């Protein structure tokens, strides 16, 4: 007991950025008596709604396949300002450029931006695509399911409070490919296209427009999306994107976290990325110890755990011990090429979306210099970026410290409430030392 307590304490100090969602599966088992009156959705792995219809591969990316209205029983959902929740299933593209599909969950506030009688018929309804980091290769721990029990940071409720709709894509896709930035970027973009296409007819929203927001692994998905957007979704006009705590290179981050309290992220990433690459998955299975301590079975237990559960389980584990050849097995050419392809940002395209980027100078998961040079490169090629470098705190602090500024940036690009001063063109870097006053509410 003492050991577990210490472990929890240690992990709790660094994991605010990690979604603490772990569904109580026993509640579900009791609830699902098959009479159709269950208050919660079934697990994604058993939910017949989570299937693409016949012939779906032929549809173009972003095509809406299904809308599930009243997906959640909102009287049970502990998220502020929620009136209604619906889900959209749509066509997308995977990391090998094959057809895949995705799901997003959309929250509608009690008071939408365009509800007020004073707004003109031209009112443009803001929709925030909110990429929530879920850091797991377990499909059943996807946000579309887990958000029924609440949200980790209160940010969905805050955005709803501003009158925006909030769309939360399961950006890791139907294989829960945690760490695979390519499929995450495509699914994020297609979720936005699908929601913008769905809401005029299904919900009477005449002029929807979307902005993106993501921190940490949610930043990777968001950043990949804005890099892909000019080529992959040229007709999509994004209002802006807020990107915080970005990891431009997972190649640098991987070994940095291998023996730390966040070792579990590396286990989840190896499983998640290889879910997109059948050849590398096959190789992986030949390189993990078949038995004894640190074996293949224990390694893959991660794929049954939420991000939080795997952080606890693998905390301070030397991940390379699971491999017959140690770290070198992950540096085999096929594996190295895969990690490089999925884990390197800044190489897919030049964003033409206004970006607010924010990062702690002392970010402990990724060196700030890599974000500096990614941004510098975009700026030299014409991007429009406001970059805040915060000299206060580390990776998890900036999640909280950047919250108000992110909401205000959304205010700038979507309308509604406070705004953040933003350069009308080009780039601006600001060094600041900012700590959110815990007494001051974020709105
Ligand atoms: C939603 O939950 C409430 C509270 O448990 C319950 O009374 C109601 O019947 C549920 N509604 C549906 C449609 O399941
Ligand atoms: C996916 O794409 C790869 C590379 O283009 C191709 O070799 C493979 O056959 C495709 N798989 C499926 C299931 O279409
Ligand atoms: C609505 O938009 C149209 C076309 O952009 C414009 O001509 C019209 O003046 C606008 N109406 C209002 C009330 O803003
Ligand atoms: C694999 O590791 C787990 C966890 O330590 C252990 O319970 C299991 O017996 C091991 N399997 C084999 C085949 O050694
Ligand atoms: C911000 O601080 C860095 C050092 O951390 C410095 O190199 C850079 O010039 C500063 N930028 C601005 C715009 O003040």
């Amino acid at each position: 007991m003492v050991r577990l307590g210490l472990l929890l304490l240690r992990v709790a100090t660094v994991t605010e950025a990690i979604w603490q969602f772990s569904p109580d599966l026993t509640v579900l088992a009791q609830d699902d008596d098959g009479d159709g009156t269950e208050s919660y959705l079934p697990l994604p792995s058993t939910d017949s709604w989570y299937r693409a219809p016949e012939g779906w591969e032929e549809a173009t990316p972003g095509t809406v396949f299904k809308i599930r209205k009243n997906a959640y029983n909102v009287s049970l959902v502990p998220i502020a300002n929620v009136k209604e929740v619906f889900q959209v299933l749509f066509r997308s593209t995977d990391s090998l450029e094959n057809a895949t599909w995705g799901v997003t969950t959309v929250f509608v506030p009690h008071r939408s931006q365009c509800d007020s009688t004073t707004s003109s018929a031209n009112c443009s309804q803001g929709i925030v695509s909110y990429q929530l980091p879920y850091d797991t290769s377990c499909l059943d721990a996807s946000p579309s399911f887990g958000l029924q029990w609440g949200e980790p940071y209160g940010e969905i409720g805050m955005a709803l409070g501003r009158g925006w709709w909030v769309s939360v894509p399961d950006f890791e896709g139907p294989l829960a490919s945690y760490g695979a930035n390519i499929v995450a970027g495509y699914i994020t973009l297609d979720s936005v296209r699908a929601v913008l296409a769905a809401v005029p007819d299904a919900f009477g929203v005449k002029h929807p427009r979307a902005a993106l927001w993501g921190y940490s692994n949610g930043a990777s998905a968001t950043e990949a999306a804005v890099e892909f957007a000019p080529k992959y979704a040229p007709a999509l006009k994004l209002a802006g994107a807020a990107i915080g705590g970005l990891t431009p290179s997972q190649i640098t981050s991987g070994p940095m976290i291998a023996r730390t309290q966040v070792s579990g992220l590396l286990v989840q990433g190896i499983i998640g990325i290889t879910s997109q690459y059948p050849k590398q998955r096959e190789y992986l299975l030949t390189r993990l110890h078949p038995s004894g301590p640190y074996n293949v079975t224990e390694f893959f237990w991660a794929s049954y755990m939420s991000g939080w559960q795997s952080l606890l389980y693998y905390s301070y584990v030397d991940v390379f011990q699971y491999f017959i050849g140690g770290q070198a097995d992950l540096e085999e050419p096929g594996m190295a090429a895969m990690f490089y392809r999925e884990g390197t940002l800044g190489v897919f395209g030049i964003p033409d979306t206004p970006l607010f980027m924010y990062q702690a100078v002392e970010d402990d998961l990724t060196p700030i210099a890599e974000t500096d040079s990614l941004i510098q490169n975009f700026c030299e090629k014409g991007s429009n970026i406001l970059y805040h470098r915060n000299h206060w705190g580390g990776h998890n602090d900036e999640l909280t410290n950047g919250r108000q500024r992110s909401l205000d940036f959304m205010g700038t690009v979507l309308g509604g409430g406070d705004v953040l001063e933003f350069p009308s063109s080009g780039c601006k870097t600001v060094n600041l030392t900012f700590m959110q006053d815990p007494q001051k509410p974020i709105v």
Side-chain angles (χ1 to χ4, degrees), residues 24-181:
D24 186 345
L25 302 185
T26 54
V27 170
L28 284 153
Q30 283 165 13
D31 192 43
D32 194 358
D33 58 6
D35 69 357
T37 61
E38 288 69 35
S39 285
Y40 294 99
L41 293 172
L43 289 164
S45 58
T46 64
D47 185 347
S48 60
W49 188 79
Y50 275 73
R51 310 270 185 277
E54 197 72 24
W56 64 278
E57 294 95 334
E58 306 312 318
T60 55
T63 299
V64 176
F65 290 136
K66 299 183 191 178
I67 299 173
R68 173 154 66 183
K69 290 192 176 175
N70 302 309
Y72 292 2
N73 182 338
V74 289
S75 64
L76 299 174
V77 177
I79 295 177
N81 306 313
V82 180
K83 182 171 86 177
E84 186 182 345
V85 180
F86 64 95
Q87 293 178 322
V88 182
L89 192 142
F90 52 88
R91 165 76 156 79
S92 194
T93 301
D94 73 11
S95 287
L96 295 177
E97 313 285 335
N98 293 318
T100 189
W101 49 269
V103 168
T104 190
T105 305
V106 186
F107 295 79
V108 182
H110 283 294
R111 280 187 12 179
S112 289
Q113 195 176 11
C114 294
D115 280 353
S116 94
T117 49
T118 53
S119 68
S120 76
N122 287 354
C123 175
S124 178
Q125 176 62 48
I127 299 180
V128 176
S129 180
Y130 174 64
Q131 285 63 249
L132 182 63
Y134 50 116
D135 300 359
T136 170
S137 58
C138 174
L139 177 69
D140 288 337
S142 295
S144 58
F145 179 75
L147 289 171
Q148 295 178 103
W149 287 271
E151 59 159 331
Y153 315 125
E155 293 173 340
I156 296 174
M158 290 168 195
L160 293 171
R162 292 260 191 137
W164 304 315
W165 294 27
V166 181
S167 172
V168 188
D170 290 352
F171 61 78
E172 294 180 11
L175 300 176
S177 308
Y178 168 61
N181 288 338

Side-chain angles (χ1 to χ4, degrees), residues 257-335:
I257 64 173
R259 299 173 186 90
T260 67
Q261 47 197 337
V262 292
S263 287
L265 293 178
L266 186 56
V267 179
Q268 293 288 15
I270 293 167
I271 298 174
I273 298 174
T274 55
S275 74
Q276 291 287 317
Y277 294 82
K279 279 193 196 127
Q280 281 83 348
R281 171 58 68 84
E282 213 174 290
Y283 168 83
L284 174 69
L285 293 173
T286 66
R287 301 309 301 166
L288 291 161
H289 291 293
S291 60
Y294 302 104
N295 62 56
V296 58
T297 310
E298 187 185 40
F299 191 84
F300 273 88
W301 281 348
S303 64
Y304 298 95
M305 297 178 186
S306 69
W308 172 249
Q309 288 168 323
S310 60
L311 278 172
L312 292 181
Y313 189 82
Y314 300 97
S315 179
Y316 288 105
V317 165
D318 179 352
V319 176
F320 303 130
Q321 286 186 92
Y322 285 95
F323 291 85
I324 294 164
Q327 183 171 356
D329 286 347
L330 295 170
E331 290 159 0
E332 177 272 339
M335 295 294 276

